[in-house]
């Protein structure tokens, strides 16, 4: 009898599915998990499938179900972190950036918000561009349908708003054309370099089109305003001017009164003028770390107080590295000492969230730049009012929030994947359901929070712009193939 070919068996193991672990006895599952590459690759911060079968080692279905309940509790915890990050940091920063850039709600939704929802996943997965996946196309379409249909519907339920039919028709036309082109490109099972370039060019044409529409709209508003100054504007044209103004610009809306915020009135501290630039420095720092106000605590019910206590550690952790830039708050959220420290801490945390654990030291290189910037920021700022460059902290907050939202969403995907394995679901079913929902949970939380803040148009626009961005820039076969091809050509 010939000896077994262990090399062939080892290569065969690379094609085994992690979901097959449910077909084995409990005593054999740990060895299968550790010997199957797909099981060991399924981790972001923690490998839950290895923890389940190798650390906890359940011996019955009832014991395994207790771990399932624990995973569901972790999902709820991740949702709370996502909601806090979107509500307190990401959405206010996005409002400030949209106001500074003069973007409309729709344009901000299909650009800034779509980029914020999709870019962290894009950049962290470019390293795996050469890796193929049988369910990549299914996952992408499943996530797109979930974001466009389900999240778009949730936004409409949260807050009603007037829909601009021409914008929706333009966006959906580009989106459907992109889906058809990808389907055509995938007929032969691969995407060529030129097809990759065509995909990216379609998205660039889409961006150029919406920017041109925004320019023409603002130009039309200026012409109507000039006619109004000369007294040549009719009543109907004046109504159009009011409507077009709302379409062409974005206002900072107070989330409780739903009125426009006077930015200058909230800029300075209520304590009045200060002679010392560092007056109340440490008191301001401690006040900034408060997870909630005492007034809100006294007015809250028992259930609300329990939630506030549960969210308090997460809020303090996020406040330490995410700047708050919010025109509704006093001094627009400026805290001198805390913000100067965040200049140093935020890049470090972003590297830890996005890079592998073995690459944690890469964040130390940023200290060469961030420490001098932090010192300069401390020397030329005051505690009673934010500096003129405070909008830069909105960008820092948005980038840090994107990383935090991506990390929580990625961990949620891993948890849902293990839930699917425990429930004995197929890979195709997981791609269209649990993984699609997990991949879209960051979009759901951020878009729904924006709608609650009073920006449903921006949130709804991101439901089309987000999947559109993911199709052309995050689609690993297209962009990854093109970049890897260019890199290999440059080395020759």
């Amino acid at each position: 009898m010939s000896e077994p070919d262990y090399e062939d068996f080892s290569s065969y193991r690379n094609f085994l599915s992690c979901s097959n672990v449910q077909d084995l006895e409990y005593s054999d599952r740990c060895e299968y998990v550790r010997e199957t590459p797909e099981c060991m690759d399924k981790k972001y911060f923690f490998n839950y499938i290895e923890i389940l079968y190798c650390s906890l080692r359940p011996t019955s279905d009832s014991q395994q179900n207790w771990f399932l309940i624990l995973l569901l509790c972790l999902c709820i915890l991740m949702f709370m972190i996502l909601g806090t990050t979107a509500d307190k940091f990401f959405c206010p920063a996005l409002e400030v950036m949209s106001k500074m850039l003069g973007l409309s709600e729709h344009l901000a939704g299909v650009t800034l918000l779509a980029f914020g929802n999709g870019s962290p996943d894009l950049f962290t997965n470019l390293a795996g561009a050469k890796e193929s996946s049988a369910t990549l196309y299914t996952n992408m379409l499943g996530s797109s349908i979930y974001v466009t249909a389900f999240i778009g519907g949730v936004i409409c339920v949260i807050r009603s708003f007037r829909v601009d039919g021409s914008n929706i028709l333009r966006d959906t036309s580009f989106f459907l054309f992109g889906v058809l082109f990808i389907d055509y490109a995938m007929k032969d099972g691969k995407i060529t370099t030129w097809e990759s370039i065509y995909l990216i060019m379609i998205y660039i044409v889409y961006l150029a089109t919406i920017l041109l529409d925004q320019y023409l709209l603002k130009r039309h508003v200026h012409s109507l305003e000039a006619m109004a100054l000369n007294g040549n504007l009719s009543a109907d044209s004046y109504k159009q001017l009011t409507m077009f103004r709302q379409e062409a610009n974005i206002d900072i809306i107070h989330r409780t009164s739903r009125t426009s915020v006077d930015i200058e009135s909230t800029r300075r501290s209520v304590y009045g003028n200060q002679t010392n630039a560092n007056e109340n420095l440490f008191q301001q720092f401690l006040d900034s770390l408060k997870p909630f106000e005492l007034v809100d605590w006294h007015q809250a019910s028992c259930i609300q107080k329990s939630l506030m206590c549960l969210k308090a550690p997460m809020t303090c952790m996020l406040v330490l590295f995410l700047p708050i830039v919010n025109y509704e708050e006093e001094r627009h959220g400026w805290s001198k000492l805390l913000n100067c420290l965040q200049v140093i801490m935020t890049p470090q945390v972003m590297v830890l969230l996005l890079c592998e654990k073995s690459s944690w030291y890469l964040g130390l290189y940023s200290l060469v730049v961030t420490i001098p910037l932090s010192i300069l920021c401390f020397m030329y700022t005051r505690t009673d009012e934010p500096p003129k460059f405070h909008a830069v902290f909105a960008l820092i907050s948005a980038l840090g929030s994107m990383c935090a939202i991506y990390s929580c969403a990625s961990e949620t995907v891993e948890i849902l994947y293990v839930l699917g394995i425990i429930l004995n679901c197929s890979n195709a079913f997981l791609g269209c359901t649990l993984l699609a929902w997990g991949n879209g949970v960051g979009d759901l939380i951020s878009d729904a929070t924006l709608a609650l803040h009073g920006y449903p148009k921006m949130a709804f626009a991101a439901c089309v712009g987000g999947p559109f961005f993911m199709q052309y820039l995050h689609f690993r076969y297209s962009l990854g193939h093109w970049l890897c091809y260019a890199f290999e050509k440059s080395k020759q």
Side-chain angles (χ1 to χ4, degrees):
M1 181 181 294
S2 60
E3 293 293 330
D5 194 340
Y6 293 102
E7 184 176 351
D8 291 344
F9 178 77
S10 178
S11 61
Y12 169 75
R13 184 183 294 139
N14 296 328
F15 298 96
L16 293 177
S17 174
C18 193
S19 58
N20 293 336
V21 70
Q22 294 296 314
D23 300 330
L24 304 175
E25 296 293 334
Y26 280 101
S27 58
D28 300 328
R29 293 185 180 184
C30 178
E31 182 180 0
Y32 180 85
V33 166
R34 287 180 172 172
E35 296 296 330
T36 304
E38 183 178 321
C39 295
M40 300 307 294
D41 289 340
K42 292 298 179 183
K43 61 180 178 179
Y44 188 68
F45 285 117
F46 304 102
N47 190 331
Y48 297 98
I49 193 73
E50 184 183 16
I51 293 174
L52 171 60
Y53 292 119
C54 297
S55 299
L56 299 179
R57 293 182 179 272
T59 57
S60 63
D61 291 342
S62 59
Q63 293 180 4
Q64 182 178 254
N65 291 336
W66 282 108
F67 187 75
L68 188 146
I69 296 174
L70 177 61
L71 290 180
L72 291 175
C73 294
L74 284 176
C75 274
I76 296 174
L77 179 63
M78 291 299 166
F79 291 153
M80 295 180 66
I81 297 176
L82 282 168
T84 303
T85 305
D87 180 68
K88 195 173 181 66
F89 304 97
F90 183 62
C91 292
L94 201 65
E95 296 167 14
V96 172
M97 292 173 61
S98 302
K99 183 70 174 179
M100 294 294 296
L101 296 175
L103 303 179
S104 64
E105 273 196 58
H106 188 88
L107 182 57
V110 297
T111 53
L112 292 181
L113 185 54
F115 181 81
N117 288 336
S119 59
D121 202 18
L122 163 70
F123 296 138
T124 53
N125 282 284
L126 281 180
K130 289 185 177 181
E131 299 178 2
S132 61
S133 176
T135 59
L136 177 63
Y137 190 43
T138 304
N139 293 350
M140 186 197 67
L141 287 181
S143 299
S144 299
I145 294 172
Y146 170 77
V147 172
T148 304
F150 179 77
I151 299 180
V154 169
I155 291 168
C156 295
V157 171
I158 291 175
R159 189 170 302 279
S160 59
F161 60 98
R162 178 185 172 276
V163 177
D164 191 330
S166 59
N167 288 339
I168 299 300
L169 179 62
R170 176 200 61 203
D171 296 342
T172 52
S173 297
F174 271 98
F175 181 72
L176 291 175
F177 176 71
V179 172
L180 292 175
F181 186 88
I182 292 176
D183 183 68
Y184 166 78
M186 291 288 292
K187 288 294 184 182
D188 56 356
K190 63 179 181 179
I191 293 183
T192 65
T193 303
W194 281 109
E195 287 171 341
S196 306
I197 296 174
Y198 292 152
L199 285 171
I200 298 172
M201 290 303 298
I202 291 173
Y203 187 75
I204 292 175
V205 170
Y206 169 69
L207 287 180
T209 303
I210 60 177
L211 290 174
L212 179 61
D213 285 349
Q214 173 77 359
Y215 168 76
L216 294 176
L217 178 60
K218 287 196 171 185
R219 185 175 178 180
H220 184 55
V221 169
H222 291 326
S223 63
L224 291 177
E225 289 175 344
M227 294 174 62
L229 290 175
N230 296 329
N232 299 328
L233 202 62
S234 62
D236 292 338
S237 298
Y238 189 80
K239 291 181 180 178
Q240 288 184 350
L241 174 59
T242 303
M243 181 182 64
F244 289 150
R245 276 176 176 170
Q246 295 176 350
E247 291 290 336
N249 299 290
I250 186 172
D251 291 327
I252 304 299
I253 302 174
H254 199 281
R255 68 182 67 183
T256 55
S257 63
R258 303 300 177 191
T259 57
S260 297
V261 176
D262 186 357
I263 298 176
E264 290 301 322
S265 64
T266 58
R267 179 175 174 81
R268 295 188 62 85
S269 176
V270 295
Y271 300 112
N273 295 328
Q274 297 180 181
T275 56
N276 187 359
N278 296 321
E279 189 172 341
N280 298 319
L281 180 67
F282 293 102
Q283 183 63 42
Q284 185 185 77
F285 175 79
L286 295 176
D287 291 340
S288 301
L289 296 180
K290 291 180 180 178
F292 50 80
E293 298 293 335
L294 291 179
V295 177
D296 298 333
W297 173 263
H298 293 308
Q299 296 177 350
S301 62
C302 293
I303 297 177
Q304 290 174 333
K305 288 180 179 179
S306 300
L307 291 175
M308 292 169 70
C309 292
L310 187 61
K311 293 170 59 177
M314 298 178 289
T315 304
C316 292
M317 177 185 64
L318 292 170
V319 167
L320 283 174
F321 83 96
L322 290 179
I324 296 177
V325 185
N326 189 348
Y327 285 158
E328 299 179 40
E329 296 188 4
E330 181 187 350
R331 301 183 309 276
H332 299 167
W334 169 255
S335 177
K336 179 175 178 177
L337 181 58
L338 179 60
N339 287 145
C340 291
L341 293 175
Q342 286 166 340
V343 173
I344 301 174
M345 292 188 295
T346 302
Q348 309 294 317
V349 177
M350 289 174 62
V351 170
L352 290 176
L353 293 178
L354 294 181
C355 296
E356 297 180 357
K357 296 179 181 179
S358 59
S359 304
W360 63 269
Y361 61 89
L362 294 177
L364 299 178
Y365 294 117
S366 65
L367 297 178
V368 179
V369 178
T370 57
I371 290 179
L373 286 178
S374 178
I375 295 173
L376 290 175
C377 180
F378 187 85
M379 292 173 57
Y380 294 100
T381 56
R382 301 176 57 86
T383 56
D384 58 339
E385 64 176 334
K388 294 182 179 179
F389 54 84
H390 193 214
V392 177
F393 285 89
L395 177 60
I396 297 174
S397 180
L399 292 175
S401 300
M402 285 158 47
C403 294
I405 290 173
Y406 166 76
S407 299
C408 291
S410 299
E411 199 68 12
T412 304
V413 170
E414 300 300 335
I415 294 173
L416 292 175
Y417 179 83
V418 176
L419 287 175
I421 290 179
I422 295 175
L423 298 174
N424 205 15
C425 300
S426 65
N427 286 338
F429 179 80
L430 283 174
C432 292
T433 54
L434 291 180
L435 296 185
W437 303 338
N439 286 323
V441 68
D443 300 50
L444 173 62
I445 298 298
S446 58
D447 294 349
T449 306
L450 268 173
L452 290 171
H453 281 207
Y455 302 94
K457 294 180 183 179
M458 184 190 302
F460 190 80
C463 291
V464 178
F468 201 59
F469 174 80
M470 296 293 285
Q471 278 187 4
Y472 301 112
L473 296 185
H474 173 59
F475 194 55
R476 293 192 291 176
Y477 268 141
S478 58
L479 181 61
H481 181 87
W482 182 33
L483 292 176
C484 292
Y485 175 82
F487 179 71
E488 290 174 0
K489 280 289 186 180
S490 65
K491 293 193 299 182
Q492 294 177 358

